């Protein structure tokens, strides 16, 4: 049965309302300010480090994202907390919030499809994250310029820009997950806790668990252990398992992008190193290619989560 | 569907798993008519409304709203029909006008058109001076009126109101009913649901009494009164004049005359005998102070029909509706 009219009727209206709501919401502004403060501190500390040590590194600017100093984690670390937490904070009450405010049936009685509401909410939140991340990105680049006084090269800017795009994609994963949970759980608190719990699981527990499971399934070979090496079979399984986590995927992409000398992600085989000058930086295209499966994985996860949410939402009763 | 019918439902059914929420109901609503869906909690009123709007799937049967099928052409239906949900909600942090602006954008009104419509609608429901106040500060009655303003702004041909008066005090209720009457005077058809019988009785042209997913009775309140209560008309007269009660008893159709006070009599008749009664008073050189006919109370009809013999009526209702 063909539906009448366009599924995108009202999409832009919903998206802009969500964007305006988020950008003016206290919880978002506070979190953004906190991360901006952290950016200033970490970039300043990183600048001191960079000045002292690696003054002739051709990829100086990328170090601002990754350098950690003493007890102060890198900006990248803060970002890996900020992106999931804020994404979840933006989307955990998307649909159940409309239910609980009893606005859902009134909005859906306007000439729009549910598609427009759901997609508009997702895009509105994604756009909000994009704005937040662009601001942070500009801040880091600007501060870097201010602190060391050397302008970044074109390749550095290009890498940092691709990194920005990937970060936005990564936030899409958590937005889609939070949106899905806001459809599944009628209580916003339950949805928030479930999403945050899942994120913590992937961020903290899963990397450890992946190693443990791999060791049980493929017990380490004593011959490798005697040499102080990881058994290849165990290592491969551990990596496969770890990559089920979006945080791992994101981490791997970031390594490939921000460290141009990265030749492969995960265990390196001799064949991959043949003819390579160790330590020589790769061109950006090659780095992206290395991380391509991970990038696609992040995109596919986002789409999958959104589609599941879409299907559930279409069948859901509108009444509270 | 005739030109004067705006909603037509035929064998409309909704099942949730094995539970039948709405069971083969059929009804029509005419242009400019106020039609009431009345019945106790869980009778299926809201479910029926959601099916009319295409907001929930129809399990069986046919619906036609303004010539469109809500399941296949939901946008055409929703563009022309305004809906005030049960316990309507708004975005609390936004002003009344901003809430309507969002809806107006969703409908697709241009910005000039939008502002004019919003100001007009808010004024008509008496919220003009609160346009820029946050809805969070609004009382229940103001929220309901804002919901009606949304329907006015939309320029809907049909207004579907689910429990519009629930939770309102008597003053707010009569204000709201006043607005609903104005809908009718502008040619807007109204379909409203309620379990508060006596409040809505005064505005409805016709009602459908729901029970357990069936329409048990349908018609105007006075028709239902006669079929269910069998009482016919009750005419109250206050007049001075000698031997008036005896003369009134002779009017054809009057079955009983009751003296209800000094100079006050009540006639029980099988038809409306007001004009004959007035003529009698005048003929006996009396002075007529009051003459009125009592509408049968929906409450009484309802109680009589359902609560005296609940089991039979349910089955009977099923047969009527089928
Ligand atoms: N999602 C659902 N799943 C199962 N049963 C449902 C669902 N929604 C409604 N029902 C049932 O359908 C029946 C009709 O409900 P409906 O809300 O239409 O009644 P109503 O006449 O509007 O009642 P009220 O006066 O309380 O609003 C009820 O028995 C209700 O339990
Ligand atoms: Mg209801």
């Amino acid at each position: 049965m063909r539906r009448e009219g366009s599924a995108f009727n009202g999409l832009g209206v919903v998206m802009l309302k969500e964007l305006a709501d988020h950008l003016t919401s206290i919880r978002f502004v506070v979190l953004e300010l906190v991360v901006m403060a952290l950016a200033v501190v970490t970039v300043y500390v990183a600048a001191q480090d960079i000045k002292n040590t690696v003054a002739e590194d051709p990829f100086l600017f990328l170090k601002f994202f990754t350098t950690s100093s003493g007890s102060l984690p890198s900006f990248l670390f803060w970002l890996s907390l900020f992106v999931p937490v804020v994404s979840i904070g933006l989307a955990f009450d998307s649909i159940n919030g409309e239910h609980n405010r009893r606005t859902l049936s009134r909005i859906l009685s306007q000439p729009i499809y549910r598609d427009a509401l759901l997609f508009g909410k997702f895009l509105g939140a994604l756009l909000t994250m994009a704005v937040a991340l662009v601001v942070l990105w500009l801040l880091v680049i600007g501060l870097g310029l201010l602190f060391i006084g050397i302008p970044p090269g074109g390749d550095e800017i290009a890498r940092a820009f691709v990194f920005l795009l990937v970060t936005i994609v990564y936030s899409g994963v958590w937005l889609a997950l939070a949106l899905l949970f806001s459809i599944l759980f009628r209580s916003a608190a339950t949805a928030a806790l479930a999403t945050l719990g899942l994120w913590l699981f992937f961020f903290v527990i899963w990397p450890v668990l992946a190693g443990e499971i791999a060791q049980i399934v493929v017990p380490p070979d004593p011959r490798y252990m005697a040499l102080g090496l990881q058994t290849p079979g165990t290592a491969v399984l551990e990596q496969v398992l770890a990559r089920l986590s979006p945080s791992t995927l994101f981490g791997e992409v970031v390594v490939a992008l921000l460290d141009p000398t990265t030749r492969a992600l995960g265990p390196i085989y001799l064949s991959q190193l043949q003819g390579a000058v160790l330590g020589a930086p790769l061109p950006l295209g090659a780095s992206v290619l290395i991380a391509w499966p991970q990038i696609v994985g992040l995109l596919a996860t986002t789409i999958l989560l959104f589609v599941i949410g879409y299907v559930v939402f279409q069948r859901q009763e509108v009444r509270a | 569907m005739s030109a004067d019918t705006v909603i037509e439902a035929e064998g409309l059914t909704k099942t949730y798993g094995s539970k039948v929420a709405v069971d083969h109901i059929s009804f029509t609503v005419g242009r400019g008519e106020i039609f009431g869906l009345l019945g106790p909690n869980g009778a299926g009123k809201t479910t029926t409304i959601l099916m009319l709007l295409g907001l929930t799937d129809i399990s069986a049967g046919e619906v036609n709203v303004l010539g469109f099928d809500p399941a296949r052409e939901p946008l055409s239906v929703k563009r022309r029909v305004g809906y005030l949900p049960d316990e309507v909600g708004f975005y609390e942090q936004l002003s009344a006008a901003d809430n309507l602006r969002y809806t107006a954008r969703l409908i697709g009104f241009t910005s000039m058109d939008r502002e004019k419509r919003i100001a007009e609608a808010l004024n008509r429901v008496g919220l003009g001076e609160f346009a820029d106040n946050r809805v969070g500060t609004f009382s229940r009655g103001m929220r309901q009126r804002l919901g009606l303003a949304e329907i006015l702004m939309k320029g809907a041909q049909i207004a579907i109101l689910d429990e519009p008066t629930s939770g309102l005090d008597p003053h707010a209720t009569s204000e709201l009913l006043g607005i609903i009457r104005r809908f009718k005077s502008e040619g807007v058809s109204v379909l409203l649901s309620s379990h508060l019988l006596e409040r809505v009785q005064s505005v409805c042209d016709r009602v459908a009494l729901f029970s357990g997913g069936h329409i048990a009775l349908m018609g105007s309140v006075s028709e239902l009164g006669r079929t269910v209560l069998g009482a016919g008309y009750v005419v109250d007269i206050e007049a001075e004049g000698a031997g008036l009660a005896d003369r009134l008893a002779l009017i054809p159709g009057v079955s009983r005359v009751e003296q209800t006070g000094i100079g006050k009599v009540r006639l029980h008749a099988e038809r409306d005998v007001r004009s004959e009664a007035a003529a009698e008073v005048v003929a006996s050189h009396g002075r007529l102070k009051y003459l009125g006919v009592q509408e049968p109370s929906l409450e009484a009809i309802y109680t009589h029909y359902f609560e005296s013999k609940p089991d039979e009526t349910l089955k009977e209702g099923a047969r009527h509706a089928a």
Side-chain angles (χ1 to χ4, degrees), chain A residues 319, chain B residues 40-47 49 86 162-163 193 195:
Chain A
R319 79 174 96 192
Chain B
N41 296 128
K45 307 180 296 287
T46 302
T47 309
I49 287 175
D86 189 7
D162 199 356
E163 309 274 1
S193 90
H195 55 251

Side-chain angles (χ1 to χ4, degrees), chain A residues 40-122:
Chain A
V40 174
V41 175
T42 48
V43 173
Y44 176 75
V45 172
Q48 305 310 310
D49 256 34
I50 290 165
K51 274 187 205 159
N52 296 340
T53 53
V54 281
E56 72 278 33
D57 189 324
F59 292 97
L60 208 55
F61 255 84
L62 300 181
K63 292 270 185 301
F64 283 116
F65 292 100
T66 52
T67 304
S68 60
S69 167
S71 59
L72 188 71
S74 65
F75 178 67
L76 189 62
F77 174 80
W78 295 122
L79 208 58
S80 68
L81 292 184
F82 172 80
V83 168
V85 169
V86 175
S87 302
I88 292 169
L90 290 181
F92 77 93
D93 62 349
S94 299
I95 297 300
N96 49 22
E98 300 278 344
H99 259 297
N100 297 336
R101 273 178 305 213
R102 299 181 161 276
T103 43
L104 187 64
S105 49
R106 189 173 58 80
I107 295 304
L108 288 182
S109 74
Q110 307 310 329
I112 61 165
Y113 283 112
R114 294 184 189 198
D115 315 35
L117 186 71
L118 197 65
F119 202 35
K121 279 185 174 278
F122 178 76

Side-chain angles (χ1 to χ4, degrees), chain B residues 229-290:
Chain B
L229 300 176
Y233 290 82
V234 176
V235 177
D236 279 316
I237 299 171
E238 192 177 345
E240 285 165 6
L244 195 58
D246 296 336
R247 298 185 64 149
L248 289 172
L250 295 176
I251 297 172
V254 172
S255 53
R256 195 153 61 86
V257 178
E258 219 182 315
Q259 198 82 39
T260 48
I262 301 164
K264 289 182 185 171
V265 284
R266 175 170 292 168
L267 306 181
H268 296 264
E270 63 199 24
R271 56 195 185 83
D272 192 349
V273 293
R274 272 179 293 179
S275 49
E276 284 99 327
E280 281 301 329
V281 174
V282 174
S284 67
H285 304 290
R287 286 175 52 214
L288 185 61
K289 291 179 183 159
Y290 175 81

Side-chain angles (χ1 to χ4, degrees), chain A residues 128-241:
Chain A
T128 310
M129 283 308 290
V131 169
L133 290 171
V134 166
V135 168
L136 284 172
W137 189 84
L138 288 175
L139 186 72
V140 170
I141 302 276
L143 285 173
L145 203 61
L146 196 72
F147 290 146
I148 59 170
I150 311 166
D155 195 44
E156 277 178 296
I157 288 291
R159 276 177 184 275
F161 183 70
V162 176
F163 165 65
L164 171 68
L165 293 184
V166 170
T167 314
I168 295 172
V169 170
Y170 180 54
S171 94
V173 174
W174 298 107
L175 284 176
L177 183 71
L179 192 66
L180 171 63
F181 280 17
S182 88
I183 296 166
L184 294 180
F185 299 110
R186 192 51 62 85
S187 144
T190 310
L193 286 178
T195 331
L196 282 173
L198 207 55
W199 166 65
L200 271 179
F201 174 79
F202 277 131
F203 190 63
V204 180
I205 301 173
W206 185 242
V208 181
L209 211 56
E212 297 294 323
I213 295 174
Q215 297 216 350
I216 293 167
V217 178
V218 184
D221 190 326
R223 282 168 299 175
Y224 282 99
M225 278 162 72
L227 293 170
L229 294 173
Q230 237 193 336
T231 315
T234 317
V236 168
L237 181 62
E238 176 176 347
Q239 190 181 34
V240 168
L241 289 176

